[in-house]
Amino acid sequence: MGSLRAQLVILILGALAIAQAVSLWLFADERSLAVRAALGFEAAGRAVNVVRLLEEAPPDLSASIVRAANSPLVRFDLAPAPSVTAPDHHHAEYIETRVRALLGDGFSRDIRVNLRETAVPLHPIPNLSPQMARMHQEMMRGRMQAVEMTLSIALSGGQWLNVATRFERPPLQWPLSSFLTFGLTAALILVVAFWFVMTRLTGPLRDLSHAAEDLGRGDAGEPLPVAGPAEVRDLTRAFNRMQERLTRFVADRTRILAAVSHDLRSPLTAMRFDAELVEDEETRESLIASIDEMQAMAEATLTFAEGLAGHEPSEVVDVSDWLGAMAGDKATPFKLTGGPAMTVRIRPLALRRALRNLVENASRYGGSATVGWHRAGDDLVIEITDHGPGIPDEELEEVFAPFHRLEASRSLETGGHGLGLAIARAIVRGHGGDIRLENRAEGGLKASIFIPLSEDAPNNDQTKHKET
């Protein structure tokens, strides 16, 4: 559930579910109020009709009128006192207003209304037979809340017409199977729709992520196709422009460095020819030595530039097999220790050159080199260790600077040109990784090459132990 697509789908579905639940609750509440109002108005209308009959008919017919008006739903009674002693002036106000409107503007006598909810009624409706009550309860699925309304209307002769009725707040008539079917169908349609929409959003973002990873490894590819929403299209265009500018910038700087190093060959050759004509032998040898050193530095710089400008295609290799082939090369011998079975996407020749530079340094200054590998998080770590004197802690980072040498004699025989580590780090950083140096507690130096593991290079945790 960590992907943007899944999180957005869950978020939207959750918001819709909450909105539907609130809407259903409001609908049920409004429906209940509508039912109560309808039933209350019905009882009030019948009460008004009975009042008119009682007011207009002879007094000796009053008992017959009341008896004829009674029904299982509404009970009428004539009494000298009202049954409503404490009117409900808040919840029942609309019933009183309805009764006065039906009786006309000339009716000014007292009207009292009281509404009361009962917790669990014994019968859903008063005066129903047990069989009808049972059928009603089954239809209402046993989840009823009765509302009792009592209405007292003052008559002209001093008596009161008391009206009593009870009606239920019926439950939402929605079977569980229908509710589940509706929910599953709606969820399926929403998931499909949102999955399609999110694919249009996350697809270009995923391509952009892969392209950025490839660019960090030095594998700048073709411009990405512009697709998706407007914001994603703008982001893709910005990335394409950045990739083009970075590629052009690196290529231009590398080309200039290579051109300068190459063009230095001609004047250096001419200077050497002129130096050969110097008659003083000591001066001639000194000039020739300086020119040779300059020539070697120019060649090393050209080699460094070529390493930066390399366009070798990357490929997936088995780490054990790749290092094993290097260990068998007698030109740069080293001892290979075990490591887990892993595959990694690299530019084999370029990384071989970087590793060879580190192995040569370990052999030259530490007597021998030992190479092993392991996995650290999302990185392949190749470690080159030796048993030499190490490097002062303050110089561990400075040694990567071009033409920086720890050996103070400046002799090419003992100190090289000072470009080996610079070339190695440039190549490794071109893979999106880095090189770190540290002095070992037991003595010697450890160089660690970190190479990010690509998604298309599967790795497992089986371990091979292979020594040469």
Side-chain angles (χ1 to χ4, degrees):
M1 294 299 179
S3 67
L4 175 63
R5 175 164 48 187
Q7 291 183 13
L8 287 176
V9 168
I10 292 175
L11 177 62
I12 294 174
L13 288 179
L16 286 175
I18 294 174
Q20 289 295 330
V22 172
S23 299
L24 184 62
W25 179 77
L26 292 175
F27 166 75
D29 189 62
E30 291 294 332
R31 179 175 178 271
S32 175
L33 290 176
V35 171
R36 290 170 58 183
L39 294 176
F41 288 165
E42 172 65 20
R46 291 185 61 185
V48 168
N49 291 332
V50 173
V51 168
R52 287 173 178 170
L53 287 174
L54 292 175
E55 293 282 345
E56 297 175 1
D60 56 341
L61 296 178
S62 297
S64 299
I65 294 174
V66 171
R67 187 168 54 253
N70 282 333
S71 72
L73 294 175
V74 185
R75 304 294 294 178
F76 295 91
D77 180 47
L78 279 176
S83 60
V84 179
T85 56
D88 186 349
H89 295 292
H90 177 63
H91 295 91
E93 183 179 357
Y94 61 97
I95 300 292
E96 180 183 351
T97 303
R98 175 72 173 176
V99 172
R100 288 193 181 278
L102 293 175
L103 289 173
D105 296 335
F107 190 86
S108 59
R109 290 188 293 275
D110 196 7
I111 299 175
R112 301 179 184 181
V113 184
N114 194 354
L115 292 175
R116 182 172 63 90
E117 291 187 354
T118 60
V120 182
L122 296 177
H123 291 285
I125 300 176
N127 306 310
L128 283 182
S129 64
Q131 183 179 4
M132 293 184 64
R134 186 169 57 255
M135 292 175 60
H136 187 76
Q137 287 179 340
E138 290 177 357
M139 181 181 68
M140 294 297 165
R141 300 194 300 278
R143 296 191 297 273
M144 296 176 296
Q145 187 174 15
V147 178
E148 290 183 347
M149 185 184 76
T150 307
L151 174 63
S152 296
I153 303 175
L155 301 177
S156 57
Q159 287 187 312
W160 290 78
L161 176 65
N162 295 317
V163 185
T165 184
R166 181 192 293 180
F167 47 88
E168 284 72 37
R169 180 185 298 171
L172 199 61
Q173 299 296 318
W174 204 340
L176 180 60
S177 59
S178 300
F179 179 78
L180 291 178
T181 302
F182 170 78
L184 292 176
T185 304
L188 180 61
I189 295 174
L190 287 174
V191 167
V192 172
F194 285 124
W195 199 266
F196 173 75
V197 174
M198 291 302 105
T199 298
R200 293 191 69 247
L201 172 63
T202 58
L205 289 178
R206 185 169 54 252
D207 294 340
L208 184 62
S209 174
H210 293 163
E213 182 68 20
D214 292 339
L215 181 62
R217 295 172 178 271
D219 294 334
E222 296 296 326
L224 292 175
V226 179
E231 294 79 4
V232 178
R233 292 199 303 269
D234 293 340
L235 179 61
T236 303
R237 293 189 189 98
F239 175 82
N240 288 337
R241 290 194 297 268
M242 179 194 69
Q243 178 175 259
E244 180 185 0
R245 291 168 183 169
L246 285 176
T247 303
R248 186 172 61 245
F249 175 82
V250 173
D252 290 345
R253 296 303 185 272
T254 305
R255 192 180 302 112
I256 291 173
L257 181 61
V260 170
S261 301
H262 182 272
D263 292 345
L264 281 176
R265 290 175 173 177
S266 296
L268 287 174
T269 301
M271 290 174 62
R272 181 181 177 87
F273 179 76
D274 292 339
E276 294 288 351
L277 300 179
V278 176
E279 296 182 355
D280 184 73
E281 182 178 356
E282 182 177 354
T283 303
R284 182 173 67 250
E285 291 178 354
S286 176
L287 286 174
I288 291 175
S290 297
I291 293 171
D292 287 343
E293 183 176 359
M294 293 173 63
Q295 183 76 35
M297 293 176 64
E299 295 291 341
T301 302
L302 182 60
T303 302
F304 177 64
E306 290 173 348
L308 293 178
H311 296 290
E312 177 191 359
S314 61
E315 59 183 84
V316 177
V317 300
D318 182 272
V319 177
S320 178
D321 295 341
W322 180 68
L323 289 176
M326 280 195 65
D329 187 357
K330 301 304 180 182
T332 53
F334 59 85
K335 180 181 179 181
L336 183 62
T337 62
M342 301 173 63
T343 57
V344 65
R345 178 174 289 278
I346 59 173
R347 293 188 291 278
L349 295 180
L351 193 59
R352 181 187 181 97
R353 180 181 179 187
L355 182 59
R356 185 187 298 117
N357 288 350
L358 294 173
V359 170
E360 288 177 351
N361 279 351
S363 299
R364 176 182 298 176
Y365 302 109
S368 63
T370 301
V371 177
W373 74 95
H374 65 273
R375 178 171 183 166
D378 294 330
D379 292 332
L380 163 66
V381 182
I382 302 176
E383 294 181 346
I384 303 95
T385 58
D386 61 49
H387 299 281
I391 297 177
D393 291 340
E394 62 274 11
E395 296 281 348
L396 288 175
E397 188 63 28
E398 297 295 329
V399 294
F400 289 105
F403 302 109
H404 181 88
R405 296 192 299 178
L406 293 174
E407 204 277 326
S409 68
R410 310 301 294 177
S411 170
L412 297 180
E413 297 296 329
T414 58
H417 306 293
L419 282 175
L421 290 178
I423 293 173
R425 171 170 274 189
I427 292 173
V428 173
R429 284 184 171 177
H431 285 75
D434 204 355
I435 298 179
R436 300 173 192 170
L437 300 179
E438 60 178 305
N439 291 304
R440 299 197 301 159
E442 62 272 26
L445 186 70
K446 179 174 72 174
S448 300
I449 298 177
F450 293 84
I451 302 293
L453 296 171
S454 59
E455 295 180 359
D456 57 349
N459 297 277
N460 55 63
D461 296 329
Q462 298 175 357
T463 301
K464 293 181 182 179
H465 291 281
K466 183 178 182 180
E467 297 188 2
T468 60

